[in-house]
Amino acid sequence: MMKFNIKKIAAFMLMLAITTCFAFMPVQVQAAQKAYMKSVNVKWDFKKNKTISFKTKYAGLGMMKREVKMTKYKIKNSKINGYKELTFTLKFSHIPKMSGTQVHKCVNSREFSKYNSIGGDFCYAIVDYNTGKALTANKNMDVYVQSSAWVYSPKKYYYDSHGCWVSTYSYSRTIKVTYPKNYKGLCIGVCGNTVLKDTKKDDSFWDGKAAFGKTTYYDKKDKSVAHFMRVTK
């Protein structure tokens, strides 16, 4: 039986949820520096209204695909003088249909037994292009993120011939990012995971301390794990 890593999803929701009471600071212009995100092995093909296929780890099955699509992408001037407001919706699909053989192998694997999860995990990240750090935890960057609650679709079930099964949802949520008009480092990424459990470095990334390249949300040898876009307006 499949069990999503609810702790991980909840952590993402907590880190990306920002109170509606902001204390906006004067716009700051950052000094030029070497762009960290340019050096990491990710694809820069994420864009609105395009379905992206990314790889993520499944228990007993290794790296397999999952899909995400960004819709309702819109940028406008914020009500706060000197700021812009970006809104978009992300929808992560169900895990791909599994054959009976795959279902049996997954739920009877050592990884499933150890982590009580089939994997198929995903995340999205709002990061700074120059530092590679999560903007949701770096308030000195003067970027603020709000997000709706996750919306879950009805479950789908996949079975084998031995009575084993897994269930899956699709997930969607709307995100709003408020940022200074002169800020050019805003990046949005969608990613899988190369392991079934977050590491301390992953936690450090969400805390705004470690750069994206230190996480398990991308692979140095496989660009298809993480897909990014730069916000240019």
Side-chain angles (χ1 to χ4, degrees):
M1 179 179 71
M2 171 195 149
K3 181 177 179 181
F4 273 100
N5 192 331
I6 300 300
K7 182 178 180 181
K8 177 184 292 185
I9 295 175
F12 289 174
M13 295 171 66
L14 177 61
M15 290 179 184
L16 292 169
I18 307 297
T19 63
T20 56
C21 182
F22 295 120
F24 285 94
M25 304 298 292
V27 175
Q28 300 174 353
V29 179
Q30 289 185 296
Q33 55 184 308
K34 184 177 179 180
Y36 176 88
M37 289 302 296
K38 189 175 181 179
S39 67
V40 294
N41 195 39
V42 302
K43 283 191 174 183
W44 292 94
D45 61 347
F46 188 45
K47 59 184 178 181
K48 62 181 179 181
N49 301 320
K50 178 183 178 181
T51 298
I52 292 293
S53 178
F54 62 92
K55 288 183 181 178
T56 188
K57 182 73 175 289
Y58 290 81
L61 301 174
M63 300 297 288
M64 295 171 57
K65 293 181 178 180
R66 193 165 188 165
E67 292 183 341
V68 61
K69 186 175 183 178
M70 173 193 284
T71 59
K72 300 179 182 179
Y73 183 95
K74 183 178 181 180
I75 297 176
K76 66 179 182 179
N77 289 329
S78 172
K79 293 180 180 180
I80 308 300
N81 187 38
Y83 290 80
K84 288 187 176 181
E85 182 179 291
L86 164 65
T87 54
F88 59 92
T89 298
L90 294 178
K91 183 176 181 179
F92 290 86
S93 69
H94 292 272
I95 62 173
K97 185 176 180 179
M98 288 187 182
S99 67
T101 299
Q102 287 175 316
V103 170
H104 190 80
K105 186 175 182 180
C106 179
V107 300
N108 288 280
S109 67
R110 290 183 178 181
E111 291 173 312
F112 180 82
S113 178
K114 181 177 181 179
Y115 299 110
N116 195 27
S117 171
I118 71 161
D121 294 336
F122 60 84
C123 70
Y124 65 93
I126 313 297
V127 305
D128 176 65
Y129 185 68
N130 291 314
T131 67
K133 294 182 178 180
L135 288 166
T136 47
N138 282 277
K139 300 302 181 291
N140 61 315
M141 299 299 294
D142 212 17
V143 177
Y144 301 86
V145 181
Q146 290 176 284
S147 57
S148 69
W150 286 104
V151 177
Y152 304 87
S153 70
K155 284 185 180 180
K156 284 185 178 180
Y157 292 87
Y158 305 137
Y159 302 88
D160 71 359
S161 58
H162 305 277
C164 302
W165 57 272
V166 301
S167 62
T168 171
Y169 296 96
S170 67
Y171 301 79
S172 64
R173 82 181 325 174
T174 298
I175 299 101
K176 181 172 76 172
V177 185
T178 304
Y179 59 98
K181 286 184 176 180
N182 66 340
Y183 177 57
K184 304 301 181 183
L186 183 60
C187 297
I188 304 168
V190 289
C191 322
N193 204 332
T194 58
V195 299
L196 293 184
K197 182 179 180 180
D198 274 358
T199 65
K200 290 182 179 180
K201 288 185 178 180
D202 294 334
D203 295 337
S204 292
F205 169 71
W206 295 117
D207 289 339
K209 298 175 182 178
F212 181 77
K214 302 295 183 181
T215 70
T216 61
Y217 309 131
Y218 94 115
D219 190 318
K220 293 180 180 179
K221 298 181 180 180
D222 190 347
K223 290 184 177 182
S224 62
V225 176
H227 300 253
F228 275 82
M229 66 175 288
R230 293 190 68 183
V231 177
T232 57
K233 292 185 178 181

